[in-house]
Structure formats: structure tokens, C-alpha cells
Amino acid sequence: MKIYVNHFMKKCFASINLRNITLSGFLLFVCTGVMAEPTLPALIIEDTASGGKEYSISLQVLMFMTVLSVLPALLLAVTSFTRIIIVLSILRQALGTAQTPSNQILIGLSLFLSFFIMSPVFTQAYENAYQPYIAEKIGADEAIARLKEPFHKFMIQQTRETDLELFANLSGDEAYDNPESVPFSVLMPAFLTSELKTAFQIGFMLFIPFLIIDLVVASVLMAMGMMMLSPLIISLPFKLMLFVLVDGWSLVIGTLAASFMVT
């Protein structure tokens, strides 16, 4: 048995091509030499002539990837998406259609409607911040400052003063001299709180006519002694017919778009 194993090992080693060994050694030598070369520094911050700071490409890529990771949160915090998705969800609940339209359809509709409403803000941010930065006319700090301006203006228009006062008091800040002096740390939660209030107000107004239909159908069924029959089964066709006859989707979407005062 031992003789057979030794013979087998000799055949295996003999089958190794010397040329493959040489090629592997050469590749290992080249890789080692490349890895030994000094790499580019990951972080470079230089002072510009205008007094700002210029960041290295690697740091800019890192910042860009960080922004992409928090993009869903920014979409909820600084755009019209929150109000739209809440109103559409309440509308679906009022209609009593369960999962129709599906969550994917509601999110898609809310997303594209948000892009439509926010298009002036996006255009202003692109022209005033992104294009000059790409053309190397302004630095990163100034580009970020210009990028904040249109979003700050949009959010301050939709935020109630009571909500601003609430979060300003919670943060310990004094009264602000003008709307432009409100920091984003105070404006973002105040904006979201105002959006929730407005969304529920619109949802309440949408719920009333469908609730009346449910009450009428339930009263008729009780009068007829059909207490075992669910009123939702009977009222659903009437609610759908009413919603279609008044062109409900156009009215709801048009009202949502008009509720944002973008100037």
C-alpha cells in the first residue's frame, strides 16, 4: 500500500508543468511590485484662493456614496412625497378596496407626482449648484450652500409657524430674524410634522363622502333585516361608481399638486 501511494505522488508531481510554475512566479512578482508602489492618498483637503476648501476625488466619491445611502430618508424629509403617499393610502382605505391599488402602484404614483411637483426646485438646484460645481466655477462648500437654498425655500413655505416654534423651543433657539435663518436641523422635523397634519386633513375630507355611503348602506340593510350581510360588500360598488363618475383620481391628484405653493 505504501509503495502504491509513493508511486501515485510521484506521478502527480511529475505532471506539473514547469512552465506553469514559472508563469505563476512571474505573476506573483509583478503583483508584489505593484502592491509595493505607493498608492494615492485617500483624503486631500486644500485651501482655495477664494477661502474655501477643495476635496480630493476619493473623498468626493465617498461623500457621493454616503448621500446615495441616505437618499430615501432625504426623499421623505425634504420633498412632497410624505403628504402624497399618506393621502393616497387614506383614499384606498376609504374606498375599502383592500390592496387595490397595490403598494407598488401607490409608491410609484407618489414618486413621479413628487418629481412633477419638485421639478422647479430640482431645476434651480441643478442650475445654481451642480452645473457651476462641475464646471469648476465654485467649490464644494459653496455648491452645498447653493443646493440647500431652493429646498429650504420650498420647505419653509409648507411649514406652519407653530411647528417651527415648537422645534425651535425644543432646540433652545431664540426667535429667528427671517425664514432664511431657520437651520435645517429645526426645519426638517417641523416640515414633516406640518406635512403629516396637512395629509390627515386632506384624508379626512376624502373619507367623509365614502363614510356617508357606508352609513346609508348599513342603515338600509338593518331596516331590511339583513344583519348577517356585510355592508362593505354592498357599499363598495357604489363607492367605486361615485369615485369614477366624479373623476376622482384627477381631482385628488390635482388637489394634491395645487396644495403645494411652489414659487
Side-chain angles (χ1 to χ4, degrees):
M1 183 66 181
K2 183 177 181 180
I3 297 175
Y4 177 79
V5 171
N6 292 336
H7 179 68
F8 176 76
M9 294 296 294
K10 289 180 180 179
K11 290 185 64 178
C12 289
F13 282 110
S15 62
I16 298 177
N17 195 336
L18 183 59
R19 184 173 55 184
N20 294 337
I21 297 177
T22 305
L23 181 60
S24 301
F26 175 76
L27 292 176
L28 180 62
F29 172 78
V30 171
C31 293
T32 303
V34 171
M35 294 177 63
E37 293 180 357
T39 58
L40 293 175
L43 175 60
I44 298 177
I45 301 178
E46 299 178 351
D47 294 332
T48 60
S50 59
K53 294 184 180 297
E54 185 70 24
Y55 301 94
S56 62
I57 297 299
S58 55
L59 184 59
Q60 294 177 14
V61 173
L62 178 62
M63 294 170 63
F64 178 72
M65 297 302 295
T66 303
V67 170
L68 286 181
S69 64
V70 299
L71 189 60
L74 291 176
L75 179 65
L76 295 175
V78 301
T79 66
S80 58
F81 183 84
T82 301
R83 183 190 304 185
I84 297 171
I85 189 62
I86 291 176
V87 170
L88 293 182
S89 299
I90 294 177
L91 174 63
R92 183 177 65 180
Q93 185 70 23
L95 286 171
T97 54
Q99 295 299 318
T100 304
S102 63
N103 292 331
Q104 291 84 352
I105 295 176
L106 290 185
I107 293 175
L109 178 59
S110 303
L111 185 62
F112 286 105
L113 186 57
S114 299
F115 285 152
F116 171 77
I117 295 172
M118 299 292 297
S119 58
V121 180
F122 292 152
T123 302
Q124 186 177 355
Y126 177 79
E127 294 177 351
N128 296 342
Y130 181 75
Q131 284 186 340
Y133 176 72
I134 293 299
E136 299 182 355
K137 295 180 180 179
I138 60 175
D141 293 338
E142 187 176 355
I144 294 175
R146 292 188 180 185
L147 183 66
K148 291 180 179 179
E149 291 179 359
F151 289 97
H152 190 283
K153 182 180 179 181
F154 170 80
M155 295 166 65
I156 205 70
Q157 290 177 342
Q158 313 301 324
T159 306
R160 293 176 172 85
E161 293 184 3
T162 54
D163 296 325
L164 280 176
E165 293 177 359
L166 170 64
F167 287 97
N169 294 331
L170 291 176
S171 63
D173 295 342
E174 300 293 335
Y176 302 108
D177 298 332
N178 48 61
E180 289 75 16
S181 61
V182 179
F184 266 89
S185 59
V186 174
L187 182 57
M188 280 188 180
F191 171 74
L192 287 176
T193 304
S194 295
E195 288 295 284
L196 290 175
K197 291 180 180 179
T198 306
F200 276 93
Q201 288 175 354
I202 298 175
F204 172 76
M205 299 302 295
L206 289 174
F207 221 107
I208 291 178
F210 301 111
L211 180 60
I212 293 175
I213 294 177
D214 288 333
L215 291 175
V216 171
V217 171
S219 300
V220 172
L221 291 178
M222 288 288 292
M224 297 176 62
M226 304 175 64
M227 294 177 293
M228 300 302 295
L229 182 61
S230 175
L232 296 178
I233 300 177
I234 307 301
S235 63
L236 179 59
F238 291 99
K239 290 191 289 187
L240 292 178
M241 180 181 65
L242 173 65
F243 192 69
V244 171
L245 289 177
V246 300
D247 197 9
W249 286 114
S250 298
L251 290 176
V252 171
I253 293 176
T255 302
L256 282 173
S259 65
F260 293 93
M261 299 175 295
V262 181
T263 57

